[in-house]
Amino acid sequence: MGFFNFRNNFEILVEHPQAEVYKKFVAQIRKRGWTIAEAEQPTKLVFQSKVSLFSWPIDFGVCFEATDTNETILVVESVSGNLDLGRSKGMINDIINDIYK
């Protein structure tokens, strides 16, 4: 029996400065108790979600690309051991919504 990795790549535009988005994003990751594997402030963040009863963890790589002083593009790559079915996009959207609600 083989082991599979499922990848998902997507981008999200956030209308806030790069350093602010990065700082608040890292705070949300820590608040959720997820593991940060690599952090290059304010451009890159690699982290892993927790295991639940129903799913494997998801590995995330997020690049924070500033378009100008007020906008940042989050370039997200997620890797999971099972089918994602939009779960990774939902998790990132939940983080963004918690930051800017």
Side-chain angles (χ1 to χ4, degrees), residues 13-40:
L13 177 66
V14 180
E15 295 182 359
H16 294 279
Q18 179 187 33
E20 175 189 322
V21 173
Y22 180 88
K23 182 180 175 183
K24 290 182 177 184
F25 203 94
V26 168
Q28 282 294 316
I29 298 304
R30 289 188 175 135
K31 180 180 174 183
R32 294 165 191 260
W34 295 350
T35 305
I36 295 176
E38 182 181 343
E40 294 177 20

Side-chain angles (χ1 to χ4, degrees), residues 64-92:
F64 298 80
E65 296 180 0
T67 58
D68 60 27
T69 58
N70 293 321
E71 290 183 340
T72 305
I73 297 174
L74 305 182
V75 180
V76 181
E77 178 182 4
S78 65
V79 180
S80 177
N82 57 356
L83 285 174
D84 187 307
L85 301 174
R87 188 169 150 243
S88 60
K89 287 181 184 178
M91 293 168 86
I92 298 297

